[in-house]
Amino acid sequence: MKKFIDKCISIFISSKRNIIMENDIIEFKKLVISSNFIIFKLIKYLINIPNNKYYINIGKLLEIKNLVKKHNINYILLNVILKRTQERNLYNYLNCNILDKTNIILNIFKNKASTYFGKLQIKLAYLNYLNTRLVNRWSHLERQRGGIKNISGPGEKQIEIDKRIIKKKINLIKFKLNKINYQKSKSELLRSASNIFTVSLVGYTNSGKSTLFNLLTNTQYNIMNTNTFFSTLDTYIKRIKYNNNIKRILISDTIGFIKDLPITIIKAFKSTLNEINNSKLILHVIDISNMYFSENINIVNLMLDKILKKNIPIIQIFNKIDKIKNLIPSIDYNLKKILISAKYNLGINFICDYINYFFSKFYIKCKLCINLSILKIIHSFLYKNNFIIKEYSFDGIKYYFELNMTNLDLNRFLKNYPFIKKYIIIYDNE
C-alpha cells in the first residue's frame, strides 16, 4: 500500500482529573508519525467536561479553525475516541478531515498489515467502524431513492443502502476469517498431537518483541519501521533456532498492546490475540529504558486478563538494558525475570536456558547403549529429531547416548524400532 504523508494539527486532550502526562503525549506523537503524518502543530488541551456537540469547547475550537484556514491544514488528529455526531460536527465546523484515536490506529494497521489474514482483520475493523459513522461523511446519505413503481411511500434512504452493502461485506469477511481460523485450529491440533510446544511473545508496542523474535528464530520478516508503533500486526510462528539445545519449540510474535486500545481493534483482532491461549509459556517483553515501564506492564497484564482463557505461566523479559548504566544480562528463576538487550544480542542465552528449564518437565530422559550395527539403523531417527543430549564411545564398538524426548516421541521410537526396548533405560528428570 502506498504511504500517505501530509501535515496535520495534532490535539492532545486530557481532563483536569488526569493531568497531562508527558509519556502519553510522546505515545500520541508516535501514533501520529506511525500513521504517516507530519505534525505541523501539537496542541495540548486540558478540558474539564467535554462539549457534547464538538468534544472541544467553542473557544478553543475557534482558535483551531483559524489555524486550519491560515495554514491550509487538511487533517486534525485527536488522541480521544469521538462519538459519531462529534466527528461529523467537527468536520463541518473546521472543514477538514477528523481522525480520532480509533481512526489513527486503523490507518496504521492498513499500511502495515502484510498477510492475507491480517488484511482481512483490518478490513473487518474498518468496515465495523465505518458502519457506525456513515452519517458523518456524506450529505448524499440523507437522500432517498424512489419506491417501486406504482407503489406509494418513500423510497429507501441512501444510508440504508450503504449500510446493507457494508453488512454484506462484513459477513463475507467473517466467513473468510472463519475458514482461516478453522485451518489454524487444525494446525494447532496437529502440533498438540505431535507434542510440539509454543511460546508466545507479548508486550507493549515498540518494546523490542520483533527484534527478539528475529534473534530467537534466526530469521527475518518484513518490518516497515521498528521505531514506529505496531511494527508487527500479523502472527508469526517460527521454530526457535538460537542454539541447538532447544528441542522442537515454536515461538509466536503478534500485535503489541497500547494504552486504551479501542474496542473496535480488540474485536477485529480477537482471532489473532486468542492464539496466545495455544502457548505453554508467555514471554512478556518490557522496555526497561522507558521510565513509565511499570505502567506499561500493568496495561499488558490487564489485556492478558481479558484474553487468556487459562492460566499460562509468564516470565518477564526486561529488554534494552544497553540504555541503562550498570545493568548486565542476568536471570532470576525465582522471580521469573530476565535482563537482556535484543539489539546487541545480550542475555538471549538466558531466555533459552529458561525455556529448556520450563519444558524439561514435559520430556523424558533416556540412556542408550548400542553397538555400531544398531546405530546405523536408528541413526537417522535420533539425529533428525534432535533427541541426543550427549553421545560418546570409548572403543568404537559400544556407543552410549543420553536422549531427551517427549512421551509421544518415545512411544514412536519404540514402535518404529521395537528391538530397542532391551537397550534403553528410562529415568526421572529429577
Side-chain angles (χ1 to χ4, degrees):
M1 183 177 289
K2 186 179 178 181
K3 288 186 178 181
F4 176 82
I5 299 178
D6 203 346
K7 64 181 180 181
C8 70
I9 291 176
S10 299
I11 306 174
F12 182 87
I13 301 172
S14 181
S15 69
K16 286 184 178 177
R17 291 185 299 250
N18 300 310
I19 61 173
I20 294 177
M21 300 290 292
E22 192 61 33
N23 183 52
D24 293 338
I25 294 173
I26 293 170
E27 185 170 286
F28 177 54
K29 287 167 70 176
K30 284 185 178 180
L31 275 176
V32 174
I33 293 167
S34 298
S35 192
N36 295 321
F37 281 95
I38 298 169
I39 300 175
F40 172 75
K41 185 175 180 61
L42 176 67
I43 298 173
K44 303 174 187 178
Y45 184 36
L46 199 61
I47 191 170
N48 187 16
I49 301 173
N51 185 290
N52 282 332
K53 188 174 181 180
Y54 298 108
Y55 200 99
I56 300 170
N57 293 329
I58 197 70
K60 177 62 76 171
L61 205 56
L62 185 59
E63 176 190 327
I64 295 167
K65 185 173 184 177
N66 291 333
L67 277 172
V68 168
K69 190 174 180 180
K70 182 179 178 181
H71 299 285
N72 194 26
I73 301 296
N74 294 319
Y75 290 88
I76 300 287
L77 277 64
L78 302 95
N79 69 311
V80 294
I81 298 174
L82 298 171
K83 296 177 183 177
R84 60 182 184 177
T85 52
Q86 290 170 335
E87 182 182 344
R88 179 192 61 196
N89 294 335
L90 283 171
Y91 173 80
N92 291 334
Y93 185 85
L94 296 172
N95 194 29
C96 71
N97 296 291
I98 307 298
L99 278 70
D100 67 356
K101 187 171 184 176
T102 303
N103 218 328
I104 293 170
I105 294 175
L106 283 173
N107 272 348
I108 297 171
F109 283 13
K110 280 194 293 182
N111 288 331
K112 294 193 175 182
S114 58
T115 66
Y116 178 65
F117 186 55
K119 288 176 181 177
L120 281 178
Q121 290 178 104
I122 297 302
K123 199 175 287 186
L124 177 62
Y126 184 74
L127 287 172
N128 280 325
Y129 178 77
L130 185 64
N131 197 33
T132 62
R133 306 207 165 220
L134 285 173
V135 69
N136 302 339
R137 300 293 183 184
W138 306 281
S139 59
H140 80 274
L141 297 176
E142 291 304 320
R143 294 202 300 266
Q144 293 181 337
R145 291 186 177 178
I148 300 172
K149 189 176 181 181
N150 298 329
I151 298 178
S152 61
E156 185 178 26
K157 285 186 177 181
Q158 180 67 43
I159 190 171
E160 292 168 348
I161 295 170
D162 290 351
K163 277 182 174 287
R164 184 154 40 82
I165 292 170
I166 287 176
K167 187 175 181 180
K168 282 184 179 179
K169 289 182 178 180
I170 288 172
N171 290 335
L172 178 61
I173 290 172
K174 284 182 176 179
F175 175 74
K176 291 178 179 179
L177 285 173
N178 286 336
K179 284 182 69 176
I180 296 173
N181 285 328
Y182 176 71
Q183 292 298 325
K184 284 177 174 285
S185 63
K186 284 179 68 176
S187 298
E188 176 54 33
L189 285 173
L190 285 172
R191 285 198 294 266
S192 180
S194 303
N195 276 11
I196 298 175
F197 306 119
T198 304
V199 174
S200 285
L201 284 173
V202 303
Y204 208 78
T205 187
N206 211 29
S207 61
K209 293 188 299 92
S210 300
T211 305
L212 180 58
F213 179 89
N214 290 341
L215 272 174
L216 288 171
T217 59
N218 192 25
T219 188
Q220 295 287 330
Y221 55 82
N222 184 33
I223 299 174
M224 294 179 67
N225 190 336
T226 53
N227 293 320
T228 58
F229 281 178
F230 304 115
S231 58
T232 304
L233 292 182
D234 307 292
T235 298
Y236 295 86
I237 302 177
K238 298 275 187 179
R239 183 172 172 177
I240 296 178
K241 296 179 181 178
Y242 187 77
N243 60 43
N244 294 326
N245 293 326
I246 293 186
K247 311 302 176 185
R248 297 174 298 163
I249 306 293
L250 302 178
I251 188 163
S252 68
D253 183 20
T254 189
I255 180 175
F257 301 139
I258 195 171
K259 187 177 183 180
D260 299 325
L261 192 65
I263 191 68
T264 305
I265 307 297
I266 297 172
K267 285 182 178 178
F269 279 82
K270 185 178 179 181
S271 299
T272 295
L273 294 172
N274 277 338
E275 289 191 19
I276 297 171
N277 286 291
N278 296 327
S279 58
K280 293 285 186 184
L281 176 67
I282 293 174
L283 306 182
H284 178 181
V285 183
I286 300 152
D287 178 3
I288 197 172
S289 68
N290 186 325
M291 63 184 296
Y292 300 99
F293 75 86
S294 294
E295 182 185 350
N296 293 347
I297 289 173
N298 292 333
I299 291 167
V300 172
N301 288 339
L302 286 172
M303 284 294 296
L304 289 175
D305 287 341
K306 295 177 184 178
I307 295 166
L308 295 181
K309 298 175 182 177
K310 55 186 177 181
N311 185 26
I312 301 175
I314 300 172
I315 181 167
Q316 293 181 322
I317 311 295
F318 289 92
N319 190 24
K320 305 187 183 181
I321 61 169
D322 52 281
K323 295 184 177 181
I324 300 176
K325 289 182 179 180
N326 302 322
L327 278 185
I328 60 171
S330 62
I331 182 170
D332 190 318
Y333 284 91
N334 293 325
L335 296 178
K336 297 181 180 178
K337 292 182 179 180
I338 301 176
L339 271 60
I340 69 158
S341 170
K343 182 179 180 180
Y344 294 102
N345 196 0
L346 300 173
I348 312 302
N349 57 305
F350 290 128
I351 297 177
C352 296
D353 290 344
Y354 189 88
I355 290 172
N356 274 332
Y357 162 76
F358 177 82
F359 284 103
S360 63
K361 61 190 174 191
F362 296 97
Y363 287 85
I364 296 167
K365 289 186 178 179
C366 314
K367 284 184 178 179
L368 193 61
C369 178
I370 53 176
N371 58 37
L372 183 59
S373 59
I374 295 175
L375 175 59
K376 288 179 179 179
I377 299 172
I378 66 170
H379 179 274
S380 176
F381 180 86
L382 294 181
Y383 284 88
K384 184 179 178 180
N385 292 285
N386 198 24
F387 291 141
I388 300 170
I389 302 172
K390 190 177 180 182
E391 61 175 304
Y392 53 92
S393 175
F394 298 111
D395 53 13
I397 299 172
K398 289 286 184 181
Y399 291 85
Y400 301 88
F401 292 88
E402 290 184 16
L403 309 176
N404 197 27
M405 59 182 70
T406 65
N407 189 58
L408 187 70
D409 292 327
L410 178 61
N411 290 335
R412 184 160 55 97
F413 184 32
L414 296 177
K415 183 179 179 180
N416 291 342
Y417 310 100
F419 59 85
I420 212 73
K421 287 182 182 179
K422 61 181 179 181
Y423 299 105
I424 197 166
I425 300 171
I426 301 169
Y427 62 97
D428 238 328
N429 283 332
E430 300 299 328

